[in-house]
Amino acid sequence: MVLQRIYDLSLELEQLVSGYTREKRDPFLAELQQLLDQREVLLKQLPASPTEAERELGKRVQAINRRIDEPLKRIKQEIARDMNQFRQRKQTVNRYRNPYTGPTKDGMFLDKRE
């Protein structure tokens, strides 16, 4: 039964998201991507007219999805914040290494000829 497998994968996703730690982000993201890909393939195989039991199981899957959604949004924001901090650090290091490449703050012109 396709919907049962989707339900099982959703439970795995919920457990995975609840055990997230920043220190183990890379393995977490790899496993998350794998589970989401598996579930996406199964979602495409859902029957057009579900039975009553399948509808009930579908409601449980939707409830799990709602519980998973908020933690995944927080993780995404954390990753975006880390990427922005990295980008800013990189720009700061580049400015420190070569302070005369960009526009100056006081409007001074510096002739680069030697």
Side-chain angles (χ1 to χ4, degrees):
M1 187 165 164
V2 174
L3 199 54
Q4 182 63 44
R5 183 66 184 133
I6 292 172
Y7 178 74
D8 294 340
L9 284 172
S10 297
L11 286 176
E12 285 183 50
L13 279 168
E14 185 177 30
Q15 290 175 350
L16 179 68
V17 168
S18 66
Y20 169 76
T21 60
R22 187 177 186 154
E23 293 78 29
K24 298 180 180 179
R25 184 187 294 169
D26 290 338
F28 167 81
L29 290 175
E31 189 173 350
L32 178 69
Q33 186 64 45
Q34 179 188 7
L35 290 174
L36 289 174
D37 289 343
Q38 289 175 7
R39 199 169 78 152
E40 182 180 357
V41 169
L42 291 173
L43 285 172
K44 292 178 182 176
Q45 299 173 4
L46 280 175
S49 56
T51 64
E52 189 60 39
E54 289 174 334
R55 284 192 191 119
E56 185 62 36
L57 198 54
K59 289 179 183 178
R60 285 195 235 155
V61 170
Q62 287 178 340
I64 293 170
N65 286 343
R66 283 191 292 276
R67 290 192 304 261
I68 291 173
D69 193 41
E70 190 59 37
L72 284 178
K73 284 181 182 178
R74 282 195 306 269
I75 292 167
K76 180 183 174 188
Q77 289 172 347
E78 177 185 304
I79 292 170
R81 187 176 49 248
D82 288 349
M83 287 173 62
N84 285 336
Q85 287 175 352
F86 177 76
R87 193 175 303 118
Q88 288 174 350
R89 243 184 262 128
K90 185 177 172 183
Q91 288 174 352
T92 302
V93 167
N94 286 340
R95 264 188 259 132
Y96 179 76
R97 286 183 181 159
N98 198 355
Y100 304 114
T101 57
T104 58
K105 292 182 182 181
D106 58 359
M108 183 178 84
F109 176 75
L110 184 67
D111 190 5
K112 292 185 181 180
R113 285 186 269 156
E114 294 180 32

